[in-house]
Structures are given as C-alpha cells and as structure tokens.
Amino acid sequence: MNNSIETVYILENPEKKIIRFATGSQIRYEDVIKEVYGVASIQDLPMMIQFNKGFHDSICEKYGIKGNNISIDKLIRVASKGELLQFKNQLLEKTMEEVKGSSGLVVEIPCPFNTTIRLQEGIFEWNDNNFSYDLKTSA
C-alpha cells in the first residue's frame, strides 16, 4: 500500500442490505459499484433510483425521505470513525470465525486500506498496536 491519503467511503444498498467500505480508488478502478448496486458505474445510480421501484422505496424507507428527494450522497458518502469501527468489528468477527478452534491464537487485523486515510472527522493513521485508525494530531 502506498502512503497517499485516500478517502474511505461507505456504500449502502438498503434494498439488498449491503454495506461496503471502499477507497476512492477502489470505487473508480474495481467492481465495487457493481457488487453493491448491480450497475456498471456511479453515473447509472440516478437511473436506477428512478426506475427500480424496490431500490427507490428501500432508500426512502431507510432515510425517511420522500420520493424525489433522493441524492447519491445517501448511498455513497465519506465514512465516519464510528462507521469504520463497525467495519473493524465485522473484520474481527470474520477473523474469529476463520480461526475458530485454534487455541492460544492472537487475532490480528491487517491494515484494510492505506496507512493514512481521510474520514469525516479528519486524517487518520493506522496503529498496529490496537489494529485501528487513530486521529492524526498535528506535530
């Protein structure tokens, strides 16, 4: 992983109950949009919102909004530290399931993104001691 500062986004498809975390690069160059929404690109989402009634209604229900007030930023937004902690817990659960039955094993979570990332609250750096991102303080 390189040391550039990537923004981490949360992508959510309430119809299929999919939540995925991804960096800007992953959204641009990988099939993340297709995995979460079933469309080829972000540009296809407005059409999907307009013409896929189930998808449209699930967004309205989740966010308590009316028909034509849906914006893409409800579906793809910059993740918060709290949301990233939710992601950490998912990774931890997955890792625990994989090592189930192994005694005396220390569970480590590898750095899931770049070592320095941007979230809603600011710039965060990976901490190998507690396997999480800590808010970067100015020197």
Side-chain angles (χ1 to χ4, degrees):
M1 291 185 198
N2 61 32
N3 288 332
S4 65
I5 299 174
E6 281 262 32
T7 301
V8 175
Y9 296 90
I10 184 169
L11 293 76
E12 188 169 9
N13 181 337
E15 180 183 31
K16 295 184 178 179
K17 298 184 180 12
I18 297 172
I19 296 175
R20 171 89 190 265
F21 292 84
T23 63
S25 295
Q26 290 172 318
I27 290 171
R28 281 189 300 279
Y29 302 117
E30 296 178 15
D31 287 337
V32 176
I33 298 295
K34 186 171 179 91
E35 290 169 15
V36 175
Y37 303 108
V39 295
S41 72
I42 292 173
Q43 289 76 17
D44 296 331
L45 282 176
M47 213 167 19
M48 187 172 170
I49 292 168
Q50 184 178 358
F51 295 111
N52 183 327
K53 182 163 175 40
F55 183 63
H56 178 277
D57 292 348
S58 68
I59 296 167
C60 291
E61 182 179 325
K62 166 123 179 131
Y63 296 105
I65 54 180
K66 303 273 186 216
N68 294 333
N69 295 332
I70 300 173
S71 61
I72 299 298
D73 64 344
K74 294 284 186 204
L75 305 174
I76 301 173
R77 63 187 184 283
V78 177
S80 69
K81 176 68 175 175
E83 290 167 331
L84 202 62
L85 287 174
Q86 175 187 7
F87 177 61
K88 177 184 176 182
N89 290 336
Q90 290 171 353
L91 287 176
L92 190 57
E93 285 175 18
K94 180 180 176 189
T95 304
M96 293 298 282
E97 284 179 19
E98 290 172 359
V99 297
K100 199 180 239 182
S102 301
S103 62
L105 212 61
V106 176
V107 176
E108 294 183 8
I109 300 172
C111 183
F113 305 109
N114 291 357
T115 54
T116 304
I117 60 170
R118 181 181 323 274
L119 298 173
Q120 287 179 11
E121 297 86 351
I123 306 296
F124 289 76
E125 290 184 315
W126 181 252
N127 181 335
D128 283 324
N129 295 325
N130 62 7
F131 311 113
S132 68
Y133 286 96
D134 296 330
L135 185 61
K136 184 176 178 177
T137 56
S138 300

